[in-house]
Amino acid sequence: MGQRRALPEDRMLVEQLRLQLGNIGSSVIPTLVVAAVLVGVLHNEANELALSAWCAAIVIFKLFLAWDARRLLASTIDPADARRLLWRKVGLNLVDGVAWGALAWAALGSTTVAGSVLVVAVLAGVAGSSMSSLAPIFPAFVAFGVAELLLLSSKLWQMDDPAYKTLAGASVLYMVALLGQARNGSRAARRAIALGFENLDLVERLRVETDHAQEAQRVADEANLAKSRFLAAASHDLRQPIHAQGLFLEVLARSRLSPEQADALANARATWQASAEMLDTLLDFSRLEAGVVEPQWQVFALQPLFNKIENELAPQADAKGIVYRSRETHAVVHADPALVGLILRNLVSNAIRYTEQGGVLVACRMHGEEAVLEVWDTGVGIDPSQHREIFREFHQLGNAERDRRKGLGLGLAIAQGLARALGQELTLASVPGRGSVFRFKLPLQRGGVVIEDGSGRDATSARASFDARVLVIDDDETIRTGMRQLLRAWGCECDVADSIEEAQALARVHRPDMVIIDYRLREQRSGAGAAAALRAEFGDDLPMLLITGDTAPQRLREARATGVPLLHKPVLPAQLHRAMTALLQGRELDSTFAWLRSADGERVEAP
């Protein structure tokens, strides 16, 4: 760093004066109160006239100082007048110090010992408080402090009591200490003023640099727009021959070919497919860059979209030997289903591409008036330093050789752009080596929890009905509503509770045939506690099922220790139906009901 530039002294004095003048207003009321109290406590026949005159002088002079400070602050102080005003300020504070010191001569010797102690204490306190308010102008404090404390010490020394003479010496030492502290305060004030001027200079330089940066940004934006137009045009012009190529390849595929020709054709078709996918990606990106993506808002259920994406992309996960799951949801949202589908496809494709073991999970959580869509994977993870970069176009992790089988590096940029087109933001949480989760929010449609229809892959109409009363304990209102509707669709009588106490009360009125409990409840309570309380009252043979969204190994081990079968969120309706059927028939659950890997890689299974 360079050396700090010295400021002109007059410029520095102006700021010191303004800083000190600004401190005067806050001392007016305390001064008036102290003066009145002292007169009320100390006056007697011997000193009544002297104290009254002292009080009048203090009040009048303090009001004058406040008026004078306000007047100067309201005007512009010319640096050329700074030194004259400085010495004027020193003179005024000398008078103020003499006025306060006169209290010792007006009261000491004519009041009680307690009154004398009060006088000494007040004058010492006034000197101390003035040190902080006058510190910006050190000569002004010297004038005030020396005048006040010298008058006090001289009066104390004049009195015949040795104790007062000792106080006189202590007053001199106190004055010396205050002068040292005031000098340090004055230096600190000057440094602060100098730093303030440097900051102003820095702000000005930053403003100039910002203007230059904005101009450079404008040029870059124009270049980026030209690039986007080129990509859009190139994408359009290349689609025609690529489309024709695909037609010819399909014709060849229907011809009689030798094994070598068939193998060559398969490679050609794979290359054509990759080219077509790249063009589709470029087209999506170009549309975003051009700002022509306009959401077509409508109300739709998420589950059919989840099912469609799973049908499309699950085979890719199967080919890599990883698990693909989508959590069943009853959420109904207000958005553009086409854009939401594109976002999810890009996120899921990206997750499958970078996951070599474990799995990919697509889920939806309710959060207030919003649905939070999440795509989880157990892939390579992303270093925090790359969290911003991966949303940049053509940026890829682990593809320095630009292998086009790994895509163009546009998927996340497109997903982010589409999310912003919907007025949302795509967020990322990731741990290198452990996996990632991408999230974006959509507005829920009011009353958007719906009963599953018969068209879904897990349609409730295809399931056997139950003749049972089920008690559900969950602190999430949306889940309680969804569970009640689902279980009633299965023929169950369903009671729902959000706490252990409410569940016990409902169970006493209608004894349940089965209890389904969320593991994490409000107030740091757990499903294990709820299970223990209900078993203590209704017996150990009451069928129970725990459901957990926790993946922490310790929490999962705690859940398993209860001996209650455990399902992991998200639970598909088919999975829940099979679990309920087994428990109500008195059968045990096997480990197929618990797909999930905990953070330390341990396989978590139902007991």
Side-chain angles (χ1 to χ4, degrees), residues 469-473 495-497 503 506-507 512 514-517 534:
R469 177 175 289 275
V470 180
L471 173 60
V472 176
I473 309 174
D495 296 316
V496 295
L506 289 172
M514 181 179 178
V515 184
I516 301 175
I517 313 170
L534 290 171

Side-chain angles (χ1 to χ4, degrees), residues 38 41-42 108 111-121 164:
L38 286 174
V41 172
L42 300 175
L108 292 180
T111 187
T112 63
V113 173
S116 298
V117 171
L118 176 62
V119 170
V120 173
Y164 287 121

